[in-house]
Amino acid sequence: MEGIQHKTVSVNGINMHIAEKGEGPLILFLHGFPELWYSWRNQINGLAALGYRALAPDLRGYGGTDAPDSVADYTCCHLVGDLIALLDTVAPQEKEDKVFVVGHDWGAIIAWYLCLFRPDRVKALFNLSVPFIPYDPRFKPVETWKAFYGKDHYIVRFQEPGVMEAEFAEIGVGRAVLELLSYRVPDPLYLPKGNLFGHPLDSPVNLPPWLSEKDADYYATQFQITGITGALNYYRNFDRNWELSAPWWKSQIKVPVKFAMGDLDLVYTMPGMKD
């Protein structure tokens, strides 16, 4: 994209690819699954034109950023640690102590953790898709989803290392990514073995209107290069993140927040979410 600068910075023990444009107050954009910095390309250009410095990293395990081998290296503490180290590098506290943050999907989850753990670095937050779900000692995440939805629910299916990687490889990782990006059914996503997306996989993916063939090719190509293990490792830390967040039981998000969710978002269909 014209004018967007790319660089790699060393943060929290990994090399992170970032895309940025503009000068002014920093806005940090955090992408979701299975996405990349590229998801924010239009916002980067738009906000840069309005006098902001718009910056979007490939998060740990994605795109041009390192993907550690261990599942345990993808906890909320690692992910927030990456962002704090990134901010210390690109916007030192003595120059800009707080920044605007925008998150979508997993980026939203990480943004909630950032606001919970380090509210001193966040000026305001705009989150999309995933609302703040506070720690509750009564409900361990994965077993709760399995009880509600069964063993074929996508989050449950993502848990065992190597399993979904192999099944996605059978249909092509690029194809799997486009199927996930194009999912617009206001119902839970199930991925039964042998019938992953519930329709013939020899037909073209029905892309949503916001995803052009060019954009689809970019996502598919990037994930074909990197694989999808790093992205799936986020899901494999749901229970570990639940354990790590116990000290923040009954804590609230204290930074200014706006939140939006689409009525065709599969998160909107989760039990209790509409309330």
Side-chain angles (χ1 to χ4, degrees), residues 106-139:
W106 259 105
I109 295 174
I110 300 165
W112 293 124
Y113 280 124
L114 175 63
C115 292
L116 196 61
F117 299 165
R118 293 297 304 272
D120 58 303
R121 300 307 303 272
V122 181
K123 188 177 298 182
L125 170 67
F126 191 105
N127 256 353
L128 299 160
S129 180
V130 182
F132 179 57
I133 303 174
Y135 169 83
D136 190 325
R138 299 170 297 172
F139 302 111

Side-chain angles (χ1 to χ4, degrees), residues 193-235:
K193 184 175 176 60
N195 188 26
L196 287 183
F197 293 100
H199 56 259
L201 295 175
D202 55 358
S203 58
V205 177
N206 182 23
L207 298 176
W210 52 265
L211 190 65
S212 70
E213 291 287 350
K214 177 184 176 183
D215 297 333
D217 287 344
Y218 182 88
Y219 285 109
T221 300
Q222 291 299 309
F223 279 95
Q224 285 166 354
I225 293 171
T226 65
I228 200 168
T229 297
L232 294 177
N233 283 342
Y234 285 55
Y235 291 90

Side-chain angles (χ1 to χ4, degrees), residues 5 7 9 18-29 43-56 86-92 95-96 99-102:
Q5 298 180 332
K7 67 177 70 171
V9 295
I18 62 173
E20 66 173 319
K21 184 177 181 180
E23 297 181 1
L26 181 67
I27 304 177
L28 177 64
F29 291 93
Q43 287 75 21
I44 290 174
N45 280 317
L47 273 298
L50 293 175
Y52 293 92
R53 181 186 180 191
L55 186 152
L86 174 62
L87 292 178
D88 285 344
T89 300
V90 302
K95 293 184 179 180
E96 192 169 7
V99 303
F100 294 107
V101 180
V102 181

Side-chain angles (χ1 to χ4, degrees), residues 15-107:
N15 294 312
M16 174 174 277
H17 165 251
I18 62 173
E20 66 173 319
K21 184 177 181 180
E23 297 181 1
L26 181 67
I27 304 177
L28 177 64
F29 291 93
L30 306 176
H31 68 77
F33 170 88
E35 302 176 35
L36 299 160
W37 75 270
Y38 189 78
S39 299
W40 301 111
R41 60 199 179 281
N42 296 315
Q43 287 75 21
I44 290 174
N45 280 317
L47 273 298
L50 293 175
Y52 293 92
R53 181 186 180 191
L55 186 152
D58 283 335
L59 295 172
R60 173 179 292 239
Y62 284 86
T65 295
D66 288 349
D69 293 330
S70 174
V71 172
D73 286 339
Y74 291 81
T75 70
C76 56
C77 294
H78 290 86
L79 301 172
V80 172
D82 294 347
L83 299 181
I84 293 299
L86 174 62
L87 292 178
D88 285 344
T89 300
V90 302
Q93 277 188 288
E94 60 270 17
K95 293 184 179 180
E96 192 169 7
D97 61 337
K98 295 185 177 184
V99 303
F100 294 107
V101 180
V102 181
H104 169 246
D105 186 65
W106 259 105

